[in-house]
Amino acid sequence: MAFNTTNPLIQVEDDRTGLSVETLKRALADNLFYLQGKFPGIATKHDCYMALAYTIRDRLLQRWLNTSQTYLNCDNRVVVYLSAEYLLGPHLGNNLINLGLWEPVKQAVEESGLNLEELINIEEEPGLGNGGLGRLAACFMDSLATLEIPAIGYGIRYEFGIFDQEIEDGWQVEITDKWLQLGNPWEIARPEAAVLVKLGGHTESYTDEKGDYRVRWIPNNLVKGIPYDTPILGYKVSTANNLRLWKSEAAESFDFQRFNMGDYYGAVQNKVTSENLTKVLYPNDEQLQGKELRLAQQYFFVSCSLQDMIRIHLADNPSLENFHEHFAVQLNDTHPSIGVAELMRLLVDEHHYEWGKAWNITQATFSFTNHTLLPEALEKWSLPLFSQMLPRHLEIIYEINQRFLDQVRIKYPNDGDRLAQLSIIDEAGEKWVRMAYLATVGSHAINGVAALHSQLIKETILKDFYELWPEKFSNKTNGVTPRRWLVLSNPRLSNLISSRIGEGWIKNLDELKQLEPFADLAGFRQDWRQVKREVKQDLAHYIKAQSDLVVNPDSLFDVQVKRIHEYKRQHLNILHVIHLYLQIKNNPNLEISPRTFIYGGKAAPGYFIAKLIIKLINSVAEVVNNDPAIGDRLKVVFLSNYNVKFGQKVYPAADLSEQISTAGKEASGTGNMKFSMNGALTIGTLDGANIEIREEVGAENFFLFGLTTPEVEKTLAAGYQPWEYYNNYPDLKAVVDLINSGFFSHGDTELFRPLMDSLFGHDPYLVFADFQAYVDCQHQVGEAYKDQENWSRMAILNVARMGKFSSDRTIREYAEDIWAIKPVVIELEDLCPDGQ
Ligand code: H53
């Protein structure tokens, strides 16, 4: 086809992008040859994966370009999601589902002598996030595209994502994640759209030509941000929104002055430091690190993104006056909250807006989601660090703070305590910038991520702000995308569901309600159990391959997968395992529902107690799995390197979902939703979104235990006494004594001492206080599992009532209440409405 400059449209289906099996096969072979440079005979599996990925990318390019083109040409509002993390998971399978191309591609791949599942499995997932927060951003991107909402995601293209976890001698070992090593076929670099970011230095004031007082920032370092774009396709729509991730580079890669002076090494030093900025993801979930490089990362990606938005805006608008009408920017936690000061700097210093006007634009642009109440996760930066790296921003924050506190003074005269409590600068001891306060003051809307959490925000960390502006606060309960978490990860169950109620539920999850009557049909329950059995068998194979352990697919799969954290209480779970072990040992003929306890999750590398919990789980596994007296009744397995890919295998296979955080600590949770959606029953506390899940599925279909949030607070306020629980509950005492005796540590009585000391000493997570209630509730679970008919009934009802927890619902609520944005339908055929 000759390249036609007057009409550069690539047809939807031409020789290159056709959808027939023959064309797909041809494309696969062409890409292997022309892009991978390989003959089929010597191509590796990875080469074949790459060739297939390019084949699929070609088929979504038109959607992607049409989408950007339409947004440029139409006068619509665009949502900008600013997030330091995106935990996307592999693209290939998801894109096949969303394009509706699974079947022809499967056939083409098979006729080419390859296996589709195998190729899909080869993809290295982009682990550009730690846990729930990053995965939520990915689910939101999926829903935004599916709902045809104009959106851009901005973030960081970490060269090394979340570390790979290996287990050696029961301990976690971290391995660098080299996800880009063999290339990333899903991204396109756009060096032509690079931007410059300043760092360090000082500020100077001057008077401009009109006689106005101004400030300029003289940095001592300049870094270049290169955008890398990835398409995020909606489900069976033509929308493919853009995820733009920034990579840092030296603005000037080579310092000739230093080179000429003979300083050969020094000549490239700046290049090295600049590139370090986006080298690695900080592997802490909900734990502030306070490192200079982290602040630099945050500022870097936020500045790149805002500059990019301003460029886009000015391409079609004479000024920035209506910037907030063009962009609605959602701050995903405080990580991008420096954006408030940066937008003010860009408007005031670079575009010469008057302060008041700039502030109105800024506040109308931003909204802020808080994701945690944990004190150790609340971001604050020390003033010296801040002023050294971002001297101009500190001045701007002072000014924002002063003007804000002036307002407070009017409303609450002579209330010095309140001023100190509300101040963006914490001056109690060492001075800090409180980022949640900056985000709150700079936003027109603030939300939490589940009903309880949103309520607690108003009562605790942002209480004084809520009193000032109650109308700004709302709740947006999290959700997850049913495309990845059901259609892609559990095709058997998806097919069973669709065979009875059609496929409408994939886009409108409330339609799952139609499954309810099927819960009463014995034949359907039988089919349901058959599916579950097959999926569990798959996981059993995976467990055998990874850890050489044989597990029984008919046992109850009791699963806890999530980051390892004391508040999530994986240690409470393992205490229960030890309790069951002891029961069997003391009563060898005990008949219990056989169980397989499955754990997965990463610990932050510097979080010693979390790592010790992993060691304890593995140590218990070693004893239990090898004790002939236990036989098939208990198996314990810690599967290493829990990530999105592994999540896709494990959620479908679970019978029981462990959501056992201390009440009030888990903001929402999203794993809890994925489990229920796949037909697991939950054992859980009244925490985060568990509360709403229980409301939806019915109290009778949920295993509830534990202290409530007010009870937790009361217990702590009264001076929690772990020893009392230990002395009063013989089951707890027996379990703790066994650990302390060195039974699980080859006689070493010191190994688990730090963990035990924390449980007996200072344990804000009240593990011992909830132990007995948990054990009792687990007993009910075991009994309930014996009645397979009723268990299936409950599982079906769980799935049927999960409609609320689609991220489509969450995004609709953001779109209506916070962003005031409407969908824009993308036409596949008509690429350039202006007819270029
Ligand atoms: O965010 C999830 C919540 C979850 C919460 C998590 C989270 C992080 O993963 C990291 C930092 C942070 O402040 C919060 O722990 O409860 O479901 C998405 O909202």
Side-chain angles (χ1 to χ4, degrees):
M1 189 177 80
F3 190 71
N4 178 346
T5 46
T6 56
N7 181 10
L9 305 190
I10 299 166
Q11 290 307 307
V12 180
E13 286 195 48
D14 62 7
D15 294 353
R16 194 182 167 97
T17 58
L19 305 179
S20 73
V21 171
E22 280 315 308
T23 323
L24 287 165
K25 273 162 62 181
R26 174 79 216 185
L28 197 55
D30 276 359
N31 285 338
L32 195 58
F33 188 79
Y34 291 111
L35 292 175
Q36 295 303 105
K38 292 276 177 81
F39 289 121
I42 56 154
T44 63
K45 285 277 156 59
H46 191 269
D47 291 325
C48 298
Y49 154 73
M50 292 289 273
L52 179 60
Y54 283 119
T55 304
I56 303 311
R57 194 181 87 178
D58 283 345
R59 280 153 186 79
L60 56 78
L61 257 174
Q62 182 141 19
R63 286 172 168 79
W64 192 16
L65 298 186
N66 277 18
T67 304
S68 309
Q69 189 72 41
T70 307
Y71 297 167
L72 276 181
N73 291 342
C74 307
D75 192 16
N76 53 267
R77 201 160 201 219
V78 176
V79 175
V80 164
Y81 205 70
L82 275 189
S83 179
E85 302 190 6
Y86 289 90
L87 200 41
L88 297 164
H91 294 282
L92 177 56
N94 203 244
N95 283 333
L96 288 178
I97 300 264
N98 285 5
L99 282 168
L101 280 184
W102 192 280
E103 287 309 322
V105 167
K106 188 175 166 70
Q107 199 182 330
V109 166
E110 270 164 18
E111 288 180 17
S112 307
L114 298 160
N115 176 290
L116 181 60
E117 270 83 16
E118 198 183 344
L119 293 188
I120 285 177
N121 259 320
I122 282 174
E123 182 172 345
E124 275 275 348
E125 71 174 75
L128 309 184
N130 275 285
L133 172 118
R135 183 54 231 175
L136 184 76
C139 283
F140 280 5
M141 289 304 290
D142 178 281
S143 286
L144 284 161
T146 298
L147 296 173
E148 302 176 292
I149 295 179
I152 307 174
Y154 282 114
I156 301 176
R157 182 179 177 274
Y158 301 103
E159 184 178 338
F160 304 117
I162 186 69
F163 62 85
D164 289 335
Q165 179 196 53
E166 287 184 5
I167 300 295
E168 274 175 29
D169 187 28
W171 293 97
Q172 166 175 299
V173 176
E174 300 95 23
I175 314 284
T176 319
D177 159 56
K178 302 201 182 85
W179 73 289
L180 289 169
Q181 195 170 231
L182 297 176
N184 173 10
W186 303 103
E187 67 183 9
I188 294 185
R190 308 277 189 201
E192 72 281 7
V195 296
L196 289 176
V197 175
K198 302 178 195 176
L199 287 168
H202 63 279
T203 63
E204 285 174 0
S205 56
Y206 68 102
T207 313
D208 70 9
E209 59 284 1
K210 288 192 213 141
D212 289 333
Y213 170 87
R214 305 224 165 269
V215 179
R216 73 163 75 88
W217 175 16
I218 318 289
N220 61 11
N221 196 4
L222 265 189
V223 181
K224 189 156 60 169
I226 315 279
Y228 283 71
D229 291 352
T230 304
I232 307 290
L233 195 65
Y235 176 73
K236 294 193 178 167
V237 288
S238 298
T239 301
N241 284 331
N242 200 19
L243 176 63
R244 176 159 278 196
L245 303 178
W246 299 95
K247 173 182 194 276
S248 63
E249 275 188 10
E252 206 55 70
S253 59
F254 198 80
D255 184 339
F256 268 104
Q257 227 174 344
R258 293 182 85 163
F259 185 78
N260 289 336
M261 285 163 60
D263 184 4
Y264 304 118
Y265 183 77
V268 292
Q269 202 180 347
N270 182 259
K271 178 171 162 60
V272 175
T273 353
S274 300
E275 284 176 2
N276 270 346
L277 226 64
T278 55
K279 266 273 171 266
V280 60
L281 166 79
Y282 277 96
N284 312 297
D285 201 53
E286 302 193 73
Q287 171 75 53
L288 179 69
Q289 268 256 311
K291 291 279 193 296
E292 186 180 336
L293 183 62
R294 168 80 170 173
L295 179 60
Q297 286 184 338
Q298 296 182 348
Y299 175 62
F300 166 76
F301 99 87
V302 166
S303 177
C304 288
S305 310
L306 285 169
Q307 291 185 59
D308 199 44
M309 288 153 62
I310 289 179
R311 178 187 59 78
I312 295 171
H313 181 82
L314 290 179
D316 252 350
N317 293 270
S319 79
L320 294 172
E321 207 134 302
N322 58 340
F323 183 77
H324 55 288
E325 286 164 13
H326 191 167
F327 292 111
V329 181
Q330 191 69 35
L331 300 171
N332 195 24
D333 217 327
T334 50
H335 317 145
S337 58
I338 186 63
V340 170
E342 173 67 352
L343 183 56
M344 284 301 287
R345 187 190 69 80
L346 291 165
L347 291 170
V348 172
D349 291 358
E350 306 216 340
H351 294 269
H352 295 184
Y353 279 85
E354 173 265 316
W355 183 279
K357 184 162 253 172
W359 184 242
N360 289 340
I361 297 172
T362 299
Q363 265 195 330
T365 301
F366 288 109
S367 38
F368 164 52
T369 307
N370 168 283
H371 295 262
T372 187
L373 302 173
L374 294 191
E376 65 268 34
L378 295 179
E379 284 197 308
K380 52 182 192 169
W381 294 104
S382 84
L383 279 200
L385 173 59
F386 217 96
S387 69
Q388 191 201 334
M389 186 182 304
L390 302 169
R392 179 58 184 142
H393 296 78
L394 189 58
E395 291 171 1
I396 290 174
I397 290 171
Y398 277 140
E399 177 85 26
I400 294 173
N401 198 34
Q402 197 180 4
R403 289 174 184 242
F404 162 59
L405 294 179
D406 284 347
Q407 276 181 30
V408 179
R409 263 185 219 105
I410 295 171
K411 187 150 184 190
Y412 303 101
N414 306 320
D415 192 344
D417 285 353
R418 192 180 289 263
L419 287 181
Q421 278 160 24
L422 281 164
S423 174
I424 298 172
I425 312 292
D426 177 356
E427 304 197 78
E430 203 188 327
K431 294 196 171 74
W432 305 91
V433 184
R434 303 196 261 219
M435 300 310 273
Y437 290 15
L438 177 63
T440 302
V441 173
S443 297
H444 63 278
I446 298 116
N447 72 282
V449 291
L452 171 70
H453 171 238
S454 296
Q455 186 55 36
L456 292 174
I457 288 177
K458 298 193 282 192
E459 292 170 9
T460 61
I461 55 166
L462 298 180
K463 178 170 183 287
D464 296 319
F465 292 93
Y466 175 65
E467 281 177 21
L468 266 183
W469 307 307
E471 71 287 351
K472 280 197 192 183
F473 288 75
S474 75
N475 173 53
K476 299 285 167 281
T477 299
N478 284 166
V480 301
T481 168
R483 271 74 64 183
R484 183 174 291 273
W485 296 113
L486 200 42
V487 181
L488 177 64
S489 55
N490 201 347
R492 288 189 185 87
L493 188 64
S494 299
N495 290 337
L496 176 64
I497 294 171
S498 297
S499 73
R500 302 302 202 279
I501 66 169
E503 289 189 349
W505 59 272
I506 300 174
K507 273 192 114 160
N508 177 11
L509 205 65
D510 287 326
E511 288 188 19
L512 285 178
K513 263 255 146 12
Q514 296 166 23
L515 273 181
E516 274 196 28
F518 290 92
D520 291 328
L521 303 182
F524 185 73
R525 291 199 301 266
Q526 175 76 34
D527 293 348
W528 188 272
R529 280 195 296 278
Q530 175 66 24
V531 162
K532 191 59 137 192
R533 176 76 171 56
E534 287 170 16
V535 177
K536 286 169 77 175
Q537 184 71 64
D538 285 352
L539 185 64
H541 288 314
Y542 181 84
I543 292 172
K544 172 81 177 80
Q546 201 197 83
S547 62
D548 207 30
L549 183 71
V550 176
V551 304
N552 172 10
D554 292 319
S555 64
L556 188 166
F557 278 17
D558 178 332
V559 186
Q560 188 170 20
V561 285
K562 48 180 79 228
R563 287 298 289 234
I564 311 293
H565 201 297
E566 286 158 283
Y567 86 79
K568 296 179 188 281
R569 301 200 293 193
Q570 282 90 355
H571 41 357
L572 176 59
N573 183 339
I574 198 72
L575 293 187
H576 169 243
V577 176
I578 299 172
H579 165 75
L580 283 183
Y581 175 73
L582 272 176
Q583 281 211 310
I584 298 176
K585 293 297 272 187
N586 293 334
N587 184 359
N589 297 322
L590 188 73
E591 275 191 32
I592 62 159
S593 297
R595 284 210 206 199
T596 302
F597 291 91
I598 299 167
Y599 298 82
K602 294 175 185 176
Y607 188 172
F608 175 65
I609 293 287
K611 290 180 142 178
L612 195 55
I613 291 174
I614 296 179
K615 173 68 177 168
L616 176 60
I617 294 170
N618 283 311
S619 304
V620 172
E622 191 190 326
V623 170
V624 171
N625 297 344
N626 294 309
D627 188 333
I630 299 301
D632 232 11
R633 284 175 286 184
L634 296 182
K635 290 282 177 237
V636 181
V637 54
F638 186 97
L639 287 166
S640 64
N641 206 34
Y642 172 59
N643 55 10
V644 174
K645 243 176 166 175
F646 173 47
Q648 288 174 203
K649 294 185 200 299
V650 78
Y651 290 114
D655 294 303
L656 187 67
S657 154
E658 297 271 356
Q659 306 302 333
I660 59 177
S661 52
T662 316
K665 302 291 180 201
E666 186 73 89
S668 163
T670 43
N672 45 6
M673 303 168 188
K674 295 165 199 166
F675 277 114
S676 271
M677 216 175 257
N678 280 278
L681 304 186
T682 304
I683 180 163
T685 49
L686 281 179
D687 199 15
N690 295 353
I691 299 174
E692 290 157 78
I693 292 176
R694 179 167 171 268
E695 267 165 28
E696 292 294 307
V697 304
E700 66 286 9
N701 301 310
F702 187 106
F703 296 97
L704 178 71
F705 77 97
L707 298 175
T708 62
T709 303
E711 286 166 353
V712 165
E713 279 161 17
K714 223 172 103 192
T715 309
L716 288 172
Y720 168 52
Q721 300 291 338
W723 280 99
E724 282 179 10
Y725 294 90
Y726 171 81
N727 289 327
N728 292 337
Y729 292 95
D731 286 344
L732 174 62
K733 183 170 188 303
V735 167
V736 168
D737 288 351
L738 194 63
I739 297 174
N740 283 338
S741 74
F743 186 78
F744 298 108
S745 39
H746 304 280
D748 181 349
T749 53
E750 288 307 303
L751 181 61
F752 298 115
R753 173 91 48 214
L755 179 59
M756 288 301 144
D757 283 350
S758 81
L759 293 177
F760 276 105
H762 174 72
D763 176 21
Y765 308 112
L766 306 184
V767 170
F768 289 177
D770 270 344
F771 175 83
Q772 196 58 50
Y774 179 57
V775 165
D776 293 345
C777 190
Q778 282 284 21
H779 183 72
Q780 287 172 31
V781 170
E783 290 304 301
Y785 195 70
K786 290 179 182 165
D787 181 353
Q788 279 291 296
E789 288 298 338
N790 195 44
W791 186 277
S792 319
R793 213 182 152 272
M794 293 197 284
I796 295 165
L797 290 178
N798 261 261
V799 174
R801 297 172 179 174
M802 284 304 289
K804 172 172 174 184
F805 303 100
S806 164
S807 43
D808 298 348
R809 187 269 312 147
T810 316
I811 287 297
R812 265 193 211 100
E813 290 180 4
Y814 277 95
E816 277 166 29
D817 305 346
I818 297 182
W819 304 327
I821 199 164
K822 295 258 174 308
V824 171
V825 176
I826 305 299
E827 302 296 338
L828 193 51
E829 305 290 338
D830 185 15
L831 180 66
C832 291
D834 61 1
Q836 286 167 29

